[in-house]
Every structure is written in C-alpha cells, then in structure tokens.
Amino acid sequence: MVGTVHKTLEVVHGACPHDCPDTCSMLVTVEDGRATKVEGNPEHPFTQGTLCGKVSDYLDRVYSEDRLLYPMRRVGPKGSGQFERISWDEALTTITEKFKATIAEYGAEAIMPCSYLGHEGLLNGLTVGDAFFNRLGATVTERTMCISCTSTAYLMTYGPTHGTDPDTFRHSKYIVLWGCNALSTNVHLWPFIQAARKNGAKLVSIDPVRTRTAKQSDWHIPIRPGTDGALALGMMHVIINEGLTDDDYIENYTVGFEELKARVQDYPPEKVAEITGIATEDIITLAREFAATQPAVIRIGVALEKNAGGGQGIRAISCLPALVGAWRHLGGGMLQAPMWPFPIRWDVVHRPHFIKPGTRVLNQWQLGRILTNEVPLDPPVKMLFVYNCNPVTQAAEQEKILTGLARDDLFTVVSEQFLTDTADYADIVLPATTQVENLDLMFSWGHTYVTLNNAAIAPLGEAVSNTELFRRLAAKMGFEEDCFKLSDEELTMEVLDWSAPVMDGIDMDVLKAQGYAKLKIEDVPHAEGNFPTPSGKCEFVSGMGVDSNFVLPAFRQGYETYEPGEPVDPLPTFTPQRESARSNPKLAERYPLSLMSAKPHQFVNSCFANLPKHAKLQGGPRLIIHPEDAKARDITDGQLVKVFNDRGIFQAPAMINDMTRQGVVVAPLGYWRKLNPAGGTVNAATSATFTDMGHTAAVGDSLVEVAVAVENQSPLRTQLLSMISSLFARVKKAETPTKVGV
Ligand SMILES: Nc1nc2c(c(=O)[nH]1)N[C@H]1C(S)=C(S)[C@@H](COP(=O)(O)OP(=O)(O)OC[C@H]3O[C@@H](n4cnc5c(=O)[nH]c(N)nc54)[C@H](O)[C@@H]3O)O[C@H]1N2
Ligand SMILES: Nc1nc2c(c(=O)[nH]1)N[C@H]1C(S)=C(S)[C@@H](COP(=O)(O)OP(=O)(O)OC[C@H]3O[C@@H](n4cnc5c(=O)[nH]c(N)nc54)[C@H](O)[C@@H]3O)O[C@H]1N2
Ligand code: SF4
Ligand SMILES: [Mo]
C-alpha cells in the first residue's frame, strides 16, 4: 500500500519534499493520471503562490528519463554504474539473505544504515527505516548533517522555542541575515523582508561573499569566514560599554549578564576588526544600529556551524537580541529553525525500545573514515544501506568514501530516484517514488505550518515510497510487530500528537480541505522572558551542561547515552578556525586559501544537478577566486584550476571575481562527480572532524591551494574542459542567475 491515489481530483494538495526551510505548499494538477503542473499554493501565507526556480520544474524530475523505476543488480565493477533489471522479489531476497548472513558471521552491528533529509516528510524522511534497523540490531547512525551545531548553540541560549515567527518579519525595522543567502536558500522569507523594508527597515547581510542576497541588502559586511563569534562579542562590547542595553529586560529575563560583561571586555572593536577583517567603525555602527533600531531581528543561516568554533560563534550571536530587548517587540528577536513546537512523535518512527543498550553509534559525516576502517571498528561495516542521501557528494572526505565504497567485501544497497554518484557503487539499487507519488505529512524548519502531501499519481514503474520499502523488508525478514504493518494513513495519525495545544483547531479534515494549517503559537513569545531553558530565562551563561559530544535528543535517532566529551564553555567565546593562518601557520604556508562551499542557487544540495534545465541555469562547476589571488597564481578567468590539500583534489574552471574576499575561494556545492569531467567535487577537500558542538563536520574550515591544472591532459579531456569553460563563460554573459556566482 503506498498512499491514497486521488484519481478523481484534478488539483491535489501537495508539499515540496526537499530539504529546504520553506516547505512550500504545492498544488499538483493531474490529468488522466498524469501530473501536468505544479504550482505554489496561493492561499498559503508563506508560499504565497510561488515555488522556487528549482521546484517549479519538479515534473522534469518526476518524469525524467533518468528516473530509476526498477530494482537493479550490479553487473560491472563497483562505481561503473552498470546494472541490470531484477524483480522486487529477487532484490528483497538478495538483501535479506545478505542481512542474515552478515548478522551470522559478524553480528548485526556490521550493518549500517545511511540516510538523511533527501525527503523531509514525517513518514518518508529523516527517521524512516529506523524502526527496521533498530529491530535488526544494526549500528545506529547519527545524522547531524545539518543544523545540529546551530541548534545546540541556540538552545543553550533560549531553549527549544520557535523564536521570531518568519510571518512577523514584516514588522521588523532592522533585519540581519547572518550567514544566510536567503534569496537562494530561503526565498519565501524575502517578501516579508521586502515588506519590512517598504516600512523603512534596514537589511544587513553578514557574509564573506557578495551573494545575490548581499547585493540586494542595504549593507553587506564581508566578514572573514569563521570569525562571526568575534564580531558578535565585539558588538556586545560596544552595546554594553556604551550603555545601549535594555537593562530591565536583562535584569528580569536573562541570567549571566555580569559574566558576559566581563567576557566581552576581551573583544574591543579594534581587536575584533583585526580578527574579522571588518573596519572598526563598521563594527561600532552595526552594534549601535542593532541596539537602537527596534524591532531588530537576526535570521541565522546554517553555514556558520561548519567551522571549528561555529557553535560558540552562534552562541555569541544569539545573545544579542536579549541584550537589547529585541524580544519585546513583534518582529524582533531571532529566527534559527522554528521546528521546535511541532509535536512530532519521534518514538513512533525510531522505535528506540528495539535498540539494545550499548549498540554502537556511528556518525554519517565520518562515513569515509568508517568505511576505510580508519579507526578500527569491531565489527567493520560490511553492509551499507543508503536512502534519502548522497554521501559521495555531500559528506566530507570524499576520497575516503569512494575508497570505502569500492571495497569488494562491502555490500551496498541504495534506494534512490536517480543513479547518483553514490548509487553507482551499489550492489543493489532500489527505485524510490517522488513526492507526487506518495502520501506524507510535513513539518518545517523555516515556518510554523503543518502541510499535507497527498499522492497525486500512481507510482511510476516499480518505484516505492520509503515507508513501503521498509514494510516490504520487514515482511521479508519476518518481523511480526505491529509497527511494521502500519499503513501510510495510519502513520499520519501516529507521527504527530494531534492533541498537543499547538494543534488546537488542526485535524486531518482541515489538512485535507486546505492542505496546510498554522500551529497555534505566539507572535511575540518572549516579551516577558518565558524561555524554555532550565532557568526559564535567556541564558548568557548556559545551564544546559553541554560537552563536545553532546547531541540534542532531536538529532539522536532514539539512542539515549553517549560518551561525554570535553566540557563546552557555558559562556560564549570566540574559537578561531582550526585551519587558518592564525591557528595553524604551518599548514597555511602550504595551503593558504580558505575554502567555502555555498549552497547552489539552482539545486537543493545534489538534487537537480543532473537535470538539463537546472544544470544549464546553474552553470557548470566553478571556483570563485579573488582577482589578487588569481593574479598571484597566474590564473586567468575560465581557466581550469585544481583545488587541493592533503585530503584530496577537485578541479573546476576559475571564476575571477571580487565577490569573494582575498584569501577565500568558493566552490558551490551539489555538482555530481560523474558530471564534472574535470574531476571531483568540493567535498574532496573538506574535513570530517567535528566542530565544537553537535557533531557537525567542520566542512567550512578547510585550507587549500589552487593552481592551474594543465599537466597530463589528454586532447579529449582538454576539449571537454574547454567546452565547460566556454559554456560557463556564456552563461555568465547571459545574465542568468549564475552571474552572481553561487
Ligand atoms: N538553492 C538552494 N537552497 C537551499 C539548499 C540548496 O542546496 N540550494 N540547501 C538547503 C539546506 S540543506 C540548507 S542547510 C540551507 C542553508 O541555507 P544557508 O545557510 O543560507 O546557505 P549556505 O549557502 O550554506 O550559507 C549561507 C551563506 O553563508 C555564507 N558563509 C559561509 N561561511 C560563513 C561564515 O563563516 N560566516 C558568515 N557570516 N557567513 C558564512 C556563505 O557565503 C553563504 O552565502 O539552504 C537550504 N536551501
Ligand atoms: N562541503 C559541504 N558539504 C555539505 C554542506 C555544505 O554546506 N558544504 N551542507 C550539508 C548540509 S546542510 C546538508 S543538509 C547535507 C545534505 O546531504 P544529503 O541529504 O545527502 O543531500 P542531497 O543531495 O539532498 O541528497 C538526497 C538524496 O536523496 C534522494 N531522495 C530524495 N527523495 C527520496 C526518497 O523519497 N527516497 C529515497 N530513497 N531517496 C530520495 C535524492 O535523489 C538525493 O540523491 O549536505 C551537507 N554537506
Ligand atoms: S525547494 Fe524550498 S523554496 Fe523551492 S519549492 Fe521546495 S520548499 Fe519551496
Ligand atoms: Mo542542510
């Protein structure tokens, strides 16, 4: 049973499934069983009738001739992408026999699931399959690919609150997009920002890169990457020492002000200017304006967390709104990920009672280290089951992942919609449905609406939803528990606590009628404190007792205990990047450039990178490099360069542009390795070592060197590469979105 197929309906309520804060409410037109149009729902207050440029062509994805529609088995060498069609029965038999043999020989922990948020639904998303793998006794996979570090830092300050509702941004007078490229990554927030600007609000963008968002802002502050904590501490130095604080708010609704006041004395603006690369006067102006212009709000993006000191940086930033009493006002405060009020019953999907105490937990960011047995594992991972993710392009230390996936003694299953770089290494490939083919219920990490996604059409070929995949596997394994037999309709009723106060007035009938419903939450939740922290106040000194291995329960996939790490300073502080001239001058001598990997405008992570229209609009892979850095290396515009460090190498044409800072190079994320004839992608050079909080990999904290790549090129290769370069140059001239770079 997959989902209800509404053959009689012409327009079906759906929801975009992608890993994006906007979670758009979608209208799908169906004619004779075929989806013919997708549109943004005009009734939905956040979607406002538009889908982004990635998903407005969603049907290209659904009906792509490259869709995987049948189970397949590998017939060529691993990585070659050569497969032949088999039946579902053969696929399930092969996989379950392999499960049993692996368990008999090595124990169940030799099996590792690997999945993330390729689908964001409560049924088919983050946690689907957990019950199955927990029942199997498999290794528990910790999934901290995104916002785990940011969320930890934010919760240390404010607890699990939705914070400033994006719907209220129109009332703000001072909006700071801090490491957030909203015009690409959170585009439905933009009309709210514009409405505020019409009323006189100022928009500030703090970003090392002059992105399209930065260009559209009133003030772009091009900070040195990984130094945001210093900037926030410097701003607090000004605000506190100039008496710009809201003393009444501080006294009644915060804890730890005296300690914070002492701490910020270490960060006078002159010193912060030297760390961040921002002029002293600008730091002072920013601090004064932020304090004086209420309601002020900070929208924090996700990239900051990918630095060694990312968590502490976000901690420092999150103290700012409380210090100036921004929370008193409609439209003031801070927006991180307003997902906390959704009453999700994670237990229903994790079924943590199946996890045997002591079962090992491995983190997916470190897949390369795991598969190459870098830290000897007992038992080593012998079976990998991948779904909802594409680790070859998205996880760090790519070359180790490839080495691991190529192991003859590793059996890999990949459930996918397309033959990705990861799927190429599978022993068995299983076809997955797209969102128009399955039922789901969506939460959001960018707004506060629940959204229903009805199945609009029947599954194509023999594709199945993730829920159906695990029902089939469980049946084949002979798992008798009721949880493995729940239909999708039953799951929709179980995964949410429909009786929670925030669900007041929301039931399935409402969702079926309008497709979405807003949670009942407060517009100005913290005018009088009321933060869900241990003290009930904003905690400048955090009482959460975080250590370096602490992972929030929401990111824990049901496991309870973990090995404590180093204590984390309960007061915000500044920790420099791990790889920088300041912290590691020896490394910086060999690899002087800081590498960033911004989200691509036209893809969602690696989704859509294989579709012709999207690929054309995005333009080919590129390395954005500052004119001075290019000059010092004799690099000309469009020339192929290699980008490398001790971890690996990738190649792309150079795009010489002062939109990036000197010393910082940018390679947009999401391109597929096999579609980049120049070789590799940005994650070849990134590190899987964790940051200071939440087991996030410090992929934004990587030093590299860049050089012209000309040696040992075959004529065919040279021809191909020059074609890419010229396409790239054409796209640049054509005034398409790529002209701004990422
Ligand atoms: N078009 C598009 N939209 C997406 C996605 C996508 O791939 N494409 N992915 C989705 C996902 S999974 C996520 S997590 C979100 C992410 O959404 P964002 O956080 O907005 O996206 P990023 O590009 O990761 O980072 C935002 C900006 O931070 C800057 N930045 C990088 N390092 C630093 C730093 O140290 N300090 C400061 N101040 N800025 C820094 C980058 O230059 C970039 O412009 O987007 C979601 N939406
Ligand atoms: N260097 C660097 N690395 C990064 C980041 C960065 O900024 N820099 N960002 C990180 C972040 S924020 C994130 S969120 C991660 C994202 O990492 P991933 O989640 O691995 O990214 P995606 O490319 O979205 O891969 C999702 C895959 O799931 C597949 N899929 C979609 N729907 C379904 C379905 O219903 N069933 C099945 N079986 N498969 C489906 C898609 O086809 C796609 O191939 O990447 C992280 N990696
Ligand atoms: S990717 Fe984001 S902005 Fe685009 S349609 Fe989906 S939810 Fe909306
Ligand atoms: Mo993400």
Side-chain angles (χ1 to χ4, degrees):
M1 221 349 257
V2 177
T4 313
V5 179
H6 295 260
K7 282 194 179 127
T8 50
L9 282 183
E10 278 223 290
V11 178
V12 179
H13 282 298
C16 175
H18 286 286
D19 184 1
C20 168
D22 294 12
T23 315
C24 290
S25 171
M26 203 156 81
L27 298 179
V28 185
T29 305
V30 185
E31 292 170 55
D32 297 332
R34 190 178 167 91
T36 52
K37 190 159 79 174
V38 294
E39 297 163 282
N41 185 348
E43 307 294 326
H44 191 284
F46 200 68
T47 305
Q48 294 193 22
T50 60
L51 301 174
C52 68
K54 298 153 287 203
V55 173
S56 54
D57 292 318
Y58 190 66
L59 297 179
D60 286 3
R61 185 174 179 86
V62 175
Y63 293 112
S64 165
E65 57 186 30
D66 294 336
R67 263 290 293 281
L68 289 172
L69 297 178
Y70 304 97
M72 298 194 292
R73 127 176 101 214
R74 179 169 64 85
V75 290
K78 290 199 178 203
S80 68
Q82 291 167 270
F83 296 93
E84 70 178 14
R85 183 174 166 183
I86 54 173
S87 68
W88 261 104
D89 192 51
E90 184 181 343
L92 291 172
T93 305
T94 310
I95 294 166
T96 50
E97 279 177 4
K98 197 74 191 173
F99 277 146
K100 288 175 191 161
T102 304
I103 293 169
E105 195 172 346
Y106 302 99
E109 283 179 327
I111 301 165
M112 180 176 173
C114 177
S115 75
Y116 191 60
L117 214 52
H119 193 299
E120 222 185 84
L122 291 175
L123 271 59
N124 288 291
L126 191 64
T127 49
V128 65
D130 285 4
F132 176 81
F133 287 107
N134 290 341
R135 170 73 170 74
L136 209 57
T139 287
V140 173
T141 301
E142 185 176 70
R143 308 185 190 102
T144 50
M145 297 295 286
C146 184
I147 63 169
S148 170
C149 173
T150 313
S151 300
T152 308
Y154 174 81
L155 264 64
M156 280 174 79
T157 319
Y158 294 126
T161 166
H162 59 280
T164 308
D165 190 324
D167 287 352
T168 68
F169 265 51
R170 56 164 67 93
H171 302 286
S172 307
K173 287 282 181 245
Y174 201 80
I175 302 175
V176 182
L177 294 175
W178 204 314
C180 176
N181 185 9
L183 270 176
S184 292
T185 60
N186 189 190
V187 67
H188 291 83
L189 184 63
W190 196 252
F192 295 84
I193 293 174
Q194 290 299 74
R197 292 172 90 184
K198 263 203 177 135
N199 287 328
K202 181 165 180 175
L203 179 65
V204 183
S205 177
I206 303 177
D207 197 310
V209 182
R210 198 168 64 249
T211 59
R212 69 189 65 222
T213 308
K215 269 188 171 172
Q216 296 288 318
S217 300
D218 299 300
W219 187 14
H220 171 215
I221 300 177
I223 192 169
R224 200 171 274 144
T227 64
D228 303 86
L231 175 59
L233 289 158
M235 286 171 70
M236 291 195 272
H237 183 283
V238 176
I239 290 169
I240 293 173
N241 292 353
E242 292 191 2
L244 305 175
T245 46
D246 182 333
D247 295 338
D248 179 69
Y249 197 89
I250 290 170
E251 193 179 323
N252 289 304
Y253 309 126
T254 72
V255 291
F257 177 69
E258 288 309 320
E259 291 90 331
L260 182 68
K261 184 176 176 180
R263 171 63 53 90
V264 303
Q265 301 314 316
D266 296 340
Y267 296 91
E270 299 72 23
K271 177 175 161 189
V272 169
E274 201 245 317
I275 298 172
T276 59
I278 303 167
T280 307
E281 312 79 71
D282 286 346
I283 296 164
I284 295 170
T285 305
L286 178 66
R288 287 178 183 161
E289 287 184 357
F290 182 80
T293 326
Q294 296 305 326
V297 68
I298 297 171
R299 189 345 168 200
I300 191 153
V302 184
L304 266 60
E305 72 174 10
K306 293 162 176 125
N307 288 290
Q312 283 293 8
I314 295 154
R315 266 282 282 154
I317 292 166
S318 63
C319 292
L320 280 160
L323 212 52
V324 300
W327 290 105
R328 289 186 189 278
H329 317 283
L330 183 66
M334 179 163 175
L335 174 60
Q336 185 245 334
M339 60 196 179
W340 305 106
F342 287 88
I344 302 166
R345 295 181 58 206
W346 294 111
D347 285 13
V348 167
V349 259
H350 291 320
R351 303 285 165 174
H353 65 280
F354 286 134
I355 304 177
K356 285 194 208 80
T359 300
R360 84 173 164 203
V361 179
L362 296 177
N363 189 287
Q364 190 186 343
W365 268 120
Q366 302 189 329
L367 188 66
R369 299 182 187 185
I370 294 165
L371 294 183
T372 52
N373 229 19
E374 187 170 295
V375 182
L377 294 169
D378 183 20
V381 171
K382 291 284 187 178
M383 223 183 144
L384 185 73
F385 198 110
V386 182
Y387 52 104
N388 275 351
C389 68
N390 185 10
V392 168
T393 61
Q394 299 306 117
E397 298 178 0
Q398 185 175 82
E399 295 185 2
K400 285 182 196 162
I401 298 177
L402 294 171
T403 305
L405 287 175
R407 269 172 41 200
D408 276 336
D409 65 330
L410 179 75
F411 191 87
T412 303
V413 181
V414 177
S415 158
E416 251 300 347
Q417 296 164 342
F418 291 93
L419 212 50
T420 59
D421 287 322
T422 307
D424 274 353
Y425 284 83
D427 292 280
I428 299 277
V429 173
L430 301 171
T433 49
T434 65
Q435 183 79 324
V436 292
E437 298 153 70
N438 55 238
L439 175 70
D440 217 318
L441 198 56
M442 317 293 294
F443 80 117
S444 171
W445 53 280
H447 60 61
T448 51
Y449 297 81
V450 187
T451 317
L452 178 67
N453 178 79
N454 294 290
I457 60 168
L460 300 192
E462 293 180 0
V464 302
S465 65
N466 294 334
T467 49
E468 174 63 10
L469 166 64
F470 287 106
R471 275 191 293 265
R472 289 186 184 185
L473 281 168
K476 196 85 180 172
M477 287 300 291
F479 294 170
E480 287 296 330
E481 291 84 352
D482 289 344
C483 64
F484 298 113
K485 295 172 186 157
L486 291 172
S487 69
D488 286 354
E489 286 76 7
E490 287 165 329
L491 280 168
T492 57
M493 297 317 295
E494 296 234 352
V495 290
L496 280 181
D497 176 3
W498 295 83
S499 64
V502 286
M503 297 290 281
D504 188 22
I506 308 177
D507 60 23
M508 199 41 104
D509 290 339
V510 171
L511 291 182
K512 281 188 174 152
Q514 62 180 34
Y516 66 89
K518 188 169 172 72
L519 296 180
K520 203 177 169 91
I521 49 158
E522 284 181 56
D523 266 359
V524 192
H526 305 301
E528 294 176 0
N530 276 323
F531 292 100
T533 53
S535 65
K537 298 182 176 189
C538 158
E539 299 196 343
F540 296 136
V541 175
S542 174
M544 228 163 86
V546 167
D547 63 63
S548 57
N549 279 338
F550 173 83
V551 173
L552 290 166
F555 292 84
R556 259 191 235 160
Q557 290 78 46
Y559 72 89
E560 292 277 323
T561 52
Y562 68 94
E563 194 81 16
E566 296 296 306
V568 161
D569 191 337
L571 248 191
T573 184
F574 167 63
T575 314
Q577 285 190 312
R578 200 173 282 133
E579 298 191 6
S580 67
R582 183 178 281 265
S583 54
N584 193 342
K586 262 194 138 160
L587 186 73
E589 254 173 51
R590 289 163 61 215
Y591 303 122
L593 299 170
S594 180
L595 173 69
M596 289 180 24
S597 45
K599 300 290 191 194
H601 184 70
Q602 204 58 39
F603 314 148
V604 187
N605 297 308
S606 72
C607 294
F608 299 103
N610 59 323
L611 299 183
K613 210 189 286 175
H614 291 77
K616 194 169 165 208
L617 278 172
Q618 172 66 25
R622 76 211 59 168
L623 185 84
I624 305 168
I625 184 167
H626 189 274
E628 292 300 323
D629 292 325
K631 202 164 121 200
R633 291 163 180 80
D634 285 333
I635 294 167
T636 55
D637 198 36
Q639 196 173 23
L640 187 72
V641 293
K642 54 184 178 188
V643 186
F644 57 99
N645 57 24
D646 292 341
R647 287 180 287 267
I649 180 167
F650 66 97
Q651 304 201 120
M655 173 182 176
I656 302 178
N657 196 307
D658 67 1
M659 63 185 281
T660 185
R661 293 179 57 95
Q662 196 171 344
V664 178
V665 289
V666 186
L669 188 73
Y671 293 101
W672 290 20
R673 266 183 81 91
K674 62 179 168 186
L675 300 179
N676 177 16
T681 72
V682 62
N683 269 325
T686 59
S687 160
T689 301
F690 292 140
T691 69
D692 51 352
M693 285 177 206
H695 279 184
T696 294
V699 288
D701 191 339
S702 306
L703 284 176
V704 293
E705 180 54 296
V706 177
V708 174
V710 282
E711 311 105 65
N712 303 326
Q713 271 182 34
S714 70
L716 177 66
R717 199 174 161 85
T718 313
Q719 204 183 341
L720 265 171
L721 295 171
S722 82
M723 270 165 57
I724 296 176
S725 302
S726 69
L727 172 73
F728 171 58
R730 270 213 310 280
V731 172
K732 224 170 40 158
K733 280 193 198 103
E735 295 274 311
T736 63
T738 48
K739 75 184 193 307
V740 294
V742 294

